[in-house]
Amino acid sequence: MKRVDIIVPCYNESEVITMFYENADKVLSEITSYKFEFIFIDDGSSDDTIDKIKGFAKKDKRVKYISFSRNFGKEAAMYAGMKNSGGDYVLIIDADMQHPIELIHDMLSAVEEGYDCCAAFRATRKGDPLLRTFFTRQFYKFTNKISDVNMPDGAGDFRLMNRNMINAVVAMSEVQRFSKGIFSWVGFRTKWINFENIERAAGQTKWSFWKLFMYAIDGITAFSTAPLRFASVVGSFVSLSAFVFLIYIIIKTLIFGPDVGGYASTITVILFIGGIIILSCGILGEYVAKIYMEVKNRPIYITKTSNIGESSGEDKDGDN
Ligand code: UDP
Ligand code: MG
């Protein structure tokens, strides 16, 4: 019988984790043609999320967990789950009940049909703040235009993938991960299904506007070098204009003699060029920082405790 691993990244989800587990258990018990296993990733929660997960593991042999030494972010949590999964299929799902696990029926039929992956996207952003929705839309439009990956708006990480695709995703071992881009970059055939946006069952979102903004910049710089080219193009354009202007001034001075004044135009040009220089340095800096972080080659996550690879369900220490 084929096995499906359910990967659940959890960060301070104490309020919903039991509800999630019980509901998932109920839905999955109706499917008899597959075996299931849970891999809960406790992403350095400061509440008692891990204790609750250990509670599930005590009663249920299918429950595996990895607990991080600190908060490494959802990207790291998903990576840890995929890396430690051995199932034929892997489902990535949020712990907050925003991803209806019932969709697993459709997802399984899609992969049986021959798709490598079945991903769910939110058809609406009902319940999201308007400003956030607006900026997210613009981000997807912009990123899809300038990068070589295509990320549909509303696509989250809620998806079922087969072993081939999982192996490809895990093989991309970059430290600064942007899964939405990685899933698209590796290729494979993906079936898209949509679902209605559901509000969080309890607890609160870990995403502030600022965090999302930073995430957007990471997404753009991870899959495109177009901003660097933008700096070169704007730089060339400004230099060329400056050169034309210079010739104009020389000729004008030769014919009409020097004129004083022109404060407004001078200051405008200086500020404009200054702005472009700073912007270009900033863009360059983004990429240099990325190179810096990658060459350090630090682990993507560090495990504090885990019950993977043991049968008794007791703790094991070690890192990845
Ligand atoms: N999450 C995580 N590490 C983090 C932030 C979030 O593992 O640093 C998990 C979180 O527990 C949840 C999922 O990622 O299961 C989605 O997070 P959240 O609901 O905060 O994001 P949103 O649904 O608002 O995009
Ligand atoms: Mg959520």
Side-chain angles (χ1 to χ4, degrees), residues 169 172 174 177-187 223:
V169 170
M172 295 181 69
E174 56 227 64
R177 307 185 68 75
F178 194 78
S179 288
K180 286 184 177 73
I182 292 176
F183 292 143
S184 160
W185 192 91
V186 294
F223 283 91

Side-chain angles (χ1 to χ4, degrees), residues 9 11 13 43 71 74 94-96 98 200 205-207:
Y11 177 49
E13 299 290 7
D43 186 10
N71 180 241
K74 187 186 178 190
D94 282 2
D96 59 6
Q98 278 185 304
R200 229 174 198 287
T205 174
K206 314 296 179 302
W207 290 99

Side-chain angles (χ1 to χ4, degrees), residues 260-280:
V260 214
Y263 170 76
S265 61
T266 312
I267 204 79
T268 313
V269 169
I270 288 176
L271 288 180
F272 177 63
I273 293 176
I276 288 174
I277 292 172
I278 296 170
L279 177 68
S280 306

Side-chain angles (χ1 to χ4, degrees), residues 182-201:
I182 292 176
F183 292 143
S184 160
W185 192 91
V186 294
F188 295 101
R189 260 182 90 208
T190 300
K191 181 174 182 174
W192 290 97
I193 54 177
N194 63 12
F195 67 100
E196 278 288 313
N197 199 21
I198 309 162
E199 295 202 22
R200 229 174 198 287

Side-chain angles (χ1 to χ4, degrees), residues 74-86:
K74 187 186 178 190
E75 292 287 342
M78 291 191 293
Y79 175 77
M82 288 186 273
K83 198 173 170 218
N84 289 284
S85 73

Side-chain angles (χ1 to χ4, degrees), residues 8-13 41-43 45 71-75 77-78 93-99 122 128 132 157 200 204-207 211-212:
V8 196
C10 317
Y11 177 49
N12 293 342
E13 299 290 7
I41 316 293
D42 166 43
D43 186 10
S45 302
N71 180 241
F72 280 87
K74 187 186 178 190
E75 292 287 342
M78 291 191 293
I93 186 166
D94 282 2
D96 59 6
M97 316 275 293
Q98 278 185 304
H99 295 163
R122 298 191 290 173
D128 267 14
R132 179 167 156 179
D157 309 306
R200 229 174 198 287
Q204 45 183 279
T205 174
K206 314 296 179 302
W207 290 99
K211 241 178 146 181
L212 271 176

Side-chain angles (χ1 to χ4, degrees), residues 23-38:
N23 179 53
D25 185 36
K26 201 180 92 210
V27 173
L28 298 180
S29 66
E30 291 160 11
I31 307 174
T32 49
S33 43
Y34 290 89
K35 277 199 298 185
F36 294 96
E37 213 166 76
F38 290 93

